[in-house]
């Protein structure tokens, strides 16, 4: 498998108009449980090539900062490994009377 590399910095002249779909993502619904990321075709725009390949998608969907070698600086530890008690399953305070807790969704979350 090819190791992902950092994207090159592109200088885009101010007079260039890039199609918005090539600059930002569009989310139709923020309530979905999953979002699917797919490659986009490489397109020449304003003297540069923009788009995403399979390797870009793999990096972005798993660990976007991995090309920086961030794994060398991060160590995951459980609460027990940090000498901390487990997180209690019950809340330490009662929110059931709060105004924001009156909706059906909020009350089901508090149960």
């Amino acid at each position: 498998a090819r190791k992902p590399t950092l994207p090159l910095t592109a200088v885009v002249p101010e007079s260039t108009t890039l199609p918005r779909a090539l600059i930002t993502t569009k989310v139709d619904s923020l309530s979905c449980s999953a979002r699917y990321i797919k490659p986009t075709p490489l397109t020449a725009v304003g003297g540069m090539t923009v788009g995403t390949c399979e390797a870009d998608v793999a990096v972005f969907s798993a660990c976007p900062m991995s090309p920086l070698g961030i794994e060398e600086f991060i160590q995951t530890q459980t609460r027990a490994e940090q000498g901390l008690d487990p997180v209690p399953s019950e809340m330490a305070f009662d929110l059931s009377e709060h105004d924001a807790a009156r909706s059906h969704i909020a009350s089901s979350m508090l149960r």
Side-chain angles (χ1 to χ4, degrees):
R2 178 180 82 105
K3 183 175 179 163
T5 58
L6 288 173
L8 299 175
T9 300
V11 177
V12 180
E14 289 180 31
S15 61
T16 303
T17 303
L18 296 174
R20 183 162 179 77
L22 296 175
I23 298 172
T24 186
T25 57
K26 178 183 175 193
V27 178
D28 293 327
S29 170
L30 295 175
S31 65
C32 58
S33 61
R35 292 184 181 83
Y36 299 95
I37 303 169
K38 61 183 181 179
T40 59
L42 295 179
T43 306
V45 178
M48 60 184 232
T49 303
V50 295
T52 55
C53 65
E54 292 282 346
D56 296 332
V57 170
V59 168
F60 183 69
S61 62
C63 185
M65 296 181 71
S66 64
L68 300 175
I70 197 95
E71 300 87 4
E72 296 176 34
F73 305 101
I74 296 175
Q75 178 184 14
T76 55
Q77 293 182 327
T78 64
R79 289 183 61 86
E81 290 171 333
Q82 296 176 50
L84 300 171
D85 293 330
V87 175
S89 59
E90 64 281 339
M91 292 178 34
F93 42 86
D94 182 15
L95 293 176
S96 61
E97 298 301 318
H98 191 278
D99 289 344
R102 293 184 182 162
S103 73
H104 173 71
I105 293 172
S107 62
S108 68
M109 290 171 58
L110 290 173
R111 282 187 227 138

